Structure formats: structure tokens, C-alpha cells
Amino acid sequence: ETGKNCPSAPLRANTCAWIPRLSHPLVQLATYGYEIAVCDQSSLCTFRWQEPVASFAGQLLEDYTPVHGRPLSDNQCDSAHELDYEIRWSLRRCIEWGPDCQSVGGMSFLYREQGAGWNKLSCVGIEQFDNESWACLEAQNWRLDRRSIDGSVWASDDTMQVMALYAANVTCPVW
């Protein structure tokens, strides 16, 4: 299609630059040993081990029992492959809980607060494009919704005619 008949842009601001999951800085930094990167189908998160505080009394979300023998699929970004099977499953289960889960203690205890052992540091979204996983690289200065600015832009009739000529030769983006 030409630019003149393109569909409307998405109604959300562009906050991500989508990059291959293995190239994401969270995965790359995890290779230095300070953190570990763990993925599921929708998120990439990093965790860091910190010796649990003896007086830790966090709110228990779940006592999760991993299914033994069940393969850990889609673990291309996991740098946690050297950890026990139960811990890897529990870290993934913590990712599934989203922001409610902030740490994993023991082999399978998920907590709302950090301090149980494996503390969640950060997470980003993962999307599938062309059968590959891409992770969101986000920057605060990208959080601007361009519609609020573009709606205030004006141009002369001559300029609009030139822009219409250019738009007629533009390939539509795929939203």
C-alpha cells in the first residue's frame, strides 16, 4: 500500500526498541556473574543472590512445587543453567507472578518482598516477531506520546501538497 491509505498508527506510545533477546543488555550483563537472566514466554528478568536476612519475614505468595522431569523449554536466555532445577523453575514462577513476586527463597518459596535470597532486579517484555523472541530495550526519553505533539503541528497548503506527494510513495508500516 502507499502511504496515503495506511492504517492508523497504534494508540500507544512507542516505548520500546525491540532487539534480539540474547543481545539485550540484561542478558549480556548476566554473563559477568553478578546476576542471572531468566526468561519465560513473555518476560526477561534478572535476579541476584543475596544471603537471606535471618529476620526476614516477607509475605509468602506461594510455596511452589516444581514438576520434576518437566523440561525447561525456551531457556535460550537463561544464564541460570548451573542452578538446581527447582530454583530455575521457581525463578520462572516468580516471573509469572509479575511485580507481585520480588524474591525466591529456599527451593520454592515466592515472596512479595526482596530479601529471601534470589531478589528480582528488573524485567522487560518479550514479543515474538518472525518466530524469534525480541526483548524490549526501553529508555525514559522514549515515553513521549507523539500524538500530543503531532496534533499541534501545522503547515501551509503548499507544504501539505508536497507532503501528500511524498506520502503517496511511502510503504506502510506493519503495526
Side-chain angles (χ1 to χ4, degrees):
E1 276 184 44
T2 62
K4 184 175 178 181
N5 299 316
C6 288
S8 298
L11 296 179
R12 60 185 168 96
N14 183 18
T15 59
C16 289
W18 294 99
I19 61 173
R21 179 174 54 181
L22 294 176
S23 300
H24 197 282
L26 293 180
V27 175
Q28 296 300 313
L29 289 173
T31 61
Y32 292 104
Y34 302 111
E35 303 166 1
I36 59 168
V38 181
C39 287
D40 71 0
Q41 293 296 324
S42 63
S43 297
L44 158 64
C45 296
T46 55
F47 293 83
R48 180 180 292 156
W49 172 256
Q50 179 181 353
E51 197 63 40
V53 180
S55 61
F56 179 74
Q59 183 180 2
L60 183 66
L61 280 172
E62 180 178 45
D63 178 359
Y64 178 69
T65 305
V67 179
H68 288 280
R70 188 171 156 198
L72 284 165
S73 61
D74 190 32
N75 61 356
Q76 292 178 1
C77 79
D78 287 2
S79 59
H81 53 271
E82 71 280 357
L83 296 176
D84 290 337
Y85 179 85
E86 291 84 4
I87 293 174
R88 290 187 313 192
W89 265 112
S90 297
L91 294 174
R92 287 212 179 170
R93 182 68 179 147
C94 185
I95 292 172
E96 291 174 4
W97 272 92
D100 288 333
C101 181
Q102 291 298 310
S103 63
V104 174
M107 289 289 194
S108 60
F109 299 106
L110 308 182
Y111 292 93
R112 288 189 187 276
E113 300 84 13
Q114 291 196 348
W118 286 104
N119 295 324
K120 188 189 292 180
L121 300 178
S122 59
C123 293
V124 297
I126 291 179
E127 296 284 339
Q128 298 292 321
F129 302 112
D130 297 326
N131 295 323
E132 291 186 40
S133 294
W134 296 74
C136 173
L137 180 62
E138 188 173 328
Q140 291 299 323
N141 60 348
W142 295 342
R143 290 189 174 269
L144 176 66
D145 187 349
R146 294 289 316 196
R147 292 175 296 161
S148 62
I149 294 174
D150 293 344
S152 301
V153 175
W154 64 272
S156 69
D157 289 338
D158 291 340
T159 303
M160 292 303 291
Q161 288 177 1
V162 171
M163 290 174 66
L165 288 173
Y166 285 135
N169 295 312
V170 172
T171 303
C172 291
V174 178
W175 305 114

